[in-house]
Amino acid sequence: MWIKKKVCIFVVAFIAMVGLLIARGAKSTLLQTKDERLVLRYGENQPKNYPTTQGAYEFASIIERETKGRIKIDIFCDSELGDEKAVIDQLQFGGIDFTRASISSLSEQSKALNVLQLPYLYTDAEQMWKVLDGEIGEELLKSLKELGLIGLSWFDAGVRNFYFTKSTISSFEDLQGLNIRVQESQQMMDMIQALGAHPIPLVYSVVYSALQTGSVDGAENNWPSYEAMQHYEVAKYYVLDGHTRVPELQLVSEMTWNSFSDTDQTIVRQAAQEAARLERRLWHEREKTSEEKVCASGVTVVTLPAQEIQKFRSAMAPLYKKYGAGFEDLIAKIQATH
């Protein structure tokens, strides 16, 4: 009897949830034809003053203005709606409407996006933006529809470089045998091994103490992260090797997207592009501010010669074979973009 009662409760709850989602979808469509307000949700895991979050607020502001208040988007930052992967999951079944996500969070579901994380893929930022803002980037955004997502625009997340505690490196050979902290990612660990160093996977929060105690000889990250976490206090040698540029993107749930009229879809796409331009500018400003702060503290910044960078790039051949299998044409097309 108890089991039947429990099953009954579960079924009723499930039917109620499905009904709510259906009603939500129907309401979204209805509100496109009446002068009523449609309130949608945007999940963001960064704090309010972060460039990507500011981009989200700009996105919401433009849409509210262009629809004369008919569509309002509430921004939930600081992971209020869950971490990045949890928010993506909710987007896929329509529980949340919009988000900004790193391609790292989507790479397991989209192998094509994983290609963009390959080390030393680009020669510089200009080449990356020509790729992402061109035909290749557009096709990659469209491919996300297979996941129940609509890609809207590309955000900047900077370039990652190495930094060290005891001395800098000026050549490929200087890396041999060093212990370097990496994210808990197999691809990142493979990269460090290919460079002749030892990868030490550690959670982000303990990197400072690991550098301070000598548990690791170095780590890698972008300028804002290096500065914000005070890693420059214990690792005063920053090497501009530019090994990875991992962009981020704005997404909308396909369920939400399909509830929009053609006119509103155009407004949303244009707003996403404008928000991306703002985010990229804010990111560049944040990078410069961080760089100036750490340089003023006495950090030594090293630019590696082109011939040394080429050694780093050549060492990545095993990773390109492993992680780029099946996407050789895409990789060649990216590298040929100038």
Side-chain angles (χ1 to χ4, degrees):
M1 184 71 177
W2 179 83
I3 294 175
K4 288 183 178 180
K5 183 177 180 181
K6 188 174 181 181
V7 170
C8 183
I9 293 172
F10 173 83
V11 170
V12 170
F14 177 80
I15 292 172
M17 181 183 72
V18 171
L20 181 62
L21 287 173
I22 292 173
R24 185 182 184 281
K27 185 180 180 184
S28 297
T29 305
L30 179 63
L31 289 178
Q32 298 306 308
T33 62
K34 291 188 175 182
D35 293 330
E36 299 179 34
R37 172 174 281 198
L38 173 62
V39 180
L40 304 173
R41 301 197 299 170
Y42 189 124
E44 169 61 69
N45 67 358
Q46 296 291 351
K48 187 173 183 178
N49 65 347
Y50 201 74
T52 57
T53 314
Q54 289 301 301
Y57 279 108
E58 177 74 0
F59 174 69
S61 175
I62 293 169
I63 290 175
E64 185 166 13
R65 182 186 72 228
E66 293 301 315
T67 62
K68 296 180 172 54
R70 185 166 44 80
I71 300 178
K72 183 179 186 301
I73 300 173
D74 289 334
I75 310 299
F76 295 85
C77 50
D78 280 318
S79 298
E80 188 176 348
L81 299 182
D83 63 25
E84 201 163 275
K85 289 191 176 182
V87 168
I88 290 171
D89 288 343
Q90 293 179 73
L91 241 71
Q92 290 173 312
F93 68 76
I96 295 175
D97 304 289
F98 300 93
T99 194
R100 183 278 321 156
S102 168
I103 63 172
S104 298
S105 299
L106 291 161
S107 59
E108 289 183 5
Q109 299 183 63
S110 172
K111 298 303 180 185
L113 282 181
N114 198 40
V115 168
L116 299 183
Q117 300 188 90
L118 287 169
Y120 306 102
L121 180 64
Y122 309 102
T123 55
D124 53 29
E126 183 180 0
Q127 182 190 18
M128 183 184 76
W129 291 120
K130 283 183 178 179
V131 168
L132 297 181
D133 290 336
E135 179 185 336
I136 297 173
E138 185 62 29
E139 287 302 313
L140 288 170
L141 289 178
K142 288 179 180 177
S143 72
L144 293 168
K145 191 171 184 179
E146 298 176 0
L147 306 179
L149 305 168
I150 303 296
L152 296 173
S153 63
W154 297 97
F155 274 10
D156 198 358
V159 56
R160 299 175 79 98
N161 300 292
F162 287 113
Y163 45 93
F164 301 93
T165 56
K166 297 178 182 178
S167 64
T168 189
I169 64 167
S170 57
S171 69
F172 177 80
E173 288 71 25
D174 291 341
L175 269 176
Q176 308 308 297
L178 296 182
N179 294 322
I180 300 178
R181 179 268 171 179
V182 294
Q183 299 163 290
E184 295 175 287
S185 157
Q186 189 58 53
Q187 183 169 313
M188 289 299 293
M189 290 189 282
D190 287 348
M191 181 190 79
I192 297 300
Q193 288 179 327
L195 293 173
H198 303 302
I200 310 295
L202 295 173
V203 295
Y204 194 40
S205 59
V206 303
V207 177
Y208 186 100
S209 61
L211 291 165
Q212 187 178 42
T213 61
S215 298
V216 296
D217 301 304
E220 54 82 47
N221 219 315
N222 55 46
W223 278 113
S225 297
Y226 176 59
E227 176 263 316
M229 297 301 288
Q230 290 88 48
H231 291 174
Y232 67 91
E233 295 177 350
V234 288
K236 291 185 170 294
Y237 302 93
Y238 197 81
V239 181
L240 302 175
D241 73 299
H243 49 270
T244 52
R245 299 176 184 272
V246 181
E248 302 184 338
L249 64 168
Q250 280 190 300
L251 300 164
V252 57
S253 167
E254 187 179 14
M255 290 185 181
T256 302
W257 181 255
N258 290 339
S259 75
F260 292 148
S261 66
D262 290 346
T263 298
D264 287 342
Q265 287 182 357
T266 299
I267 290 172
V268 170
R269 284 202 182 277
Q270 291 176 345
Q273 293 300 320
E274 289 187 46
R277 286 191 285 273
L278 172 68
E279 189 276 343
R280 294 178 197 181
R281 179 173 61 79
L282 293 176
W283 182 269
H284 179 70
E285 292 172 0
R286 177 72 175 263
E287 281 185 320
K288 294 302 294 181
T289 299
S290 296
E291 180 181 357
E292 289 169 1
K293 180 176 179 178
V294 300
C295 286
S297 75
V299 165
T300 298
V301 180
V302 177
T303 301
L304 293 173
Q307 62 268 26
E308 291 301 325
I309 292 293
Q310 186 53 50
K311 291 180 183 178
F312 284 51
R313 184 172 283 111
S314 297
M316 296 299 107
L319 269 76
Y320 277 61
K321 184 176 181 179
K322 178 178 179 179
Y323 295 101
F327 297 96
E328 292 82 3
D329 290 345
L330 174 59
I331 293 170
K333 195 172 181 180
I334 289 173
Q335 293 176 330
T337 302
H338 295 288

